[in-house]
Amino acid sequence: MLFNSYEFILLFLPIAVLGFHLTSRSGNHRLPIFWLVAASLLFYGWWNPPYLFLLLLSIGVNYILGQFLGKADLNENESQGKVLLILGIAFNLGLIGYYKYFNFFIDNVNIISGISFNVAQIILPLGISFYTFQQISYLIDSSEGETRHYRFLDYCLFVSFFPQLIAGPIVSHQEMMPQFSKPTHRGVNQENLAIGLTIFSMGLFKKVILADQIALYATPVFSAADQGVALTIAEAWMGALAYTMQIYFDFSGYSDMAIGAARLFGIQLPLNFNSPYKAVDIIDFWGRWHMTLTRFLTRYLYNPIALNLSRRRLQKGKSLIKRGVGSIGAYWELVAVPTLITMFLAGFWHGAGWHYVIFGLLHGFYLSMNHGWRMLLKSFNYSPAETPWWQKRLGHIVTFGCVIVAMVFFRAPSVNNALTVLSAMLGSNGISFSDGALFSNQLFSNSKIGVLWLMGLMAIAFIFPSTQEWLSKYNPALGYKPTATETVGFQRWTTAFQHHLRWHPNQFWGMVTAAVAVTSFLGLSGVSEFIYFQF
Amino acid sequence: MEREAIFQQLNTVFQDVFDDDDLMVKDQTSAKDVSGWDSMAHISLVLGTEQEFGVKFKTAEVAQLSNVGEFVDLIQTKLSK
């Protein structure tokens, strides 16, 4: 089921909320949890019932393994624990490896070997990337004694909770379990309802009105490139920029809808998106884009690899990174290698395609360069207490440029397609700014409107406060604390502006939210999936 | 080992990693409060702490050290074992 659909908004969500309210007041405080699990499983099974069994199998196996791992850790049975953990991770990776990557694997084998293995197209189970990662984190934590004996029902909810099941946020058991065991005798409360509906509506607006509209200027470009049409420089840039904005509002909208939907039940999800296009460098960017994925990858991949390599270097008596500076060898082994490995996997996790791998490696390269640059500046003793405004502005532009390039790879159906679009952006098909030559391929119904949309969306992304900043007085997301200092210079006036225009559950905001919700609802005519549903 | 002593020693690790001999961290100090406390610096902090106190951190522990207070508590627990 899609968040942006009539059946979800008019049928599923109201019934789920009502049921939750009634079961909460029933006196049995396990009943609402049971209700949420049932609703979540229905939500998932709606799209493809057989895959519901896959989800349940995954939940069951991981739960049992997790409980054993927890006990093995308590009994100090290290080797047994390690074997179980490896089996568990292998099981999860095996599932996702088969359902998500097997076709890709066979296709590449065919290309390399020349043999033509014929394998049926395997349909990707929705959300498998997310529920796999979430459960791997649970297994690893269990093996270190970080999980207690969680009840099966709570574990089920942790994995299957419908607001975050299909495209995240990737939640941790530490942040979710305590919320499930807090009994809510009074059921749904007004404040949560107001906050949840507001955030949900804002998300819906971003998806239906903003993302889906700018998509009309991105999709034709990439399709044309596929068909071998020679894109003009303006068209290529339009496509790339339009997609860069499309995915921004698509993912931002989704993250909002997830947080908003969860809030209706009084459950707080962690922040996943924090105005990433305001980032002043790529390190900042990944702390704002898909925050829970960055958190997962840093914790379970980057940290272990970097620590392992560092300890080995120490044993061999080699130098480490001290006071932010290190030798080239230290930089390579302790910064570049862990970063490249992590981002390679991050890219590949998004999808079975070489263009995703390149997306990942590009960002790995960007991040390594960013860290390396910082180290270089440090070695020349340049480390100002406060970054000068022009450095932030320049960083902002460079970062955005890097992001656009990587997004072309993310969007394009193949590496070839991406390279075609990128070379057109660099003027390989000629650079002509005369009126007729700008958009000569008739890809858009009205290119001038497209440019206006683009400028409007970029203004929103660069300047507007985020959803959580609008609602900052009401704990919009788990662990969100509004920061006093913002990263981009113009934030000073927006903070002042925000201060007077912050959201409160009053009549004015009620009307604004209603207007936003109704506009988005009226735009729901088509069925359009969230981009992140395909991962 | 006393908490205050651990705190002082941990502070020297921070001063070393961030190359700021005037740095004085508090219990609530977290990554947001110190410029340059990114994933790379975090690894240096963990390693520096391991060397300074002779302890070893687990994967989950490394990630959970979101503020200095927690760092100190964890070190104290490990030292008392």
Side-chain angles (χ1 to χ4, degrees), chain A residues 397-419:
Chain A
I397 295 173
V398 171
T399 306
F400 191 60
C402 290
V403 166
I404 296 174
V405 172
M407 285 305 183
V408 172
F409 279 98
F410 197 74
R411 170 57 176 86
S414 68
V415 176
N416 245 324
N417 184 304
L419 292 172

Side-chain angles (χ1 to χ4, degrees), chain A residues 13-25 31-32 35 188 265:
Chain A
L13 202 55
I15 295 177
V17 173
L18 186 63
F20 178 74
H21 181 73
L22 294 173
T23 51
S24 299
R25 298 181 73 104
L31 210 51
W35 170 262
V188 173
F265 306 101

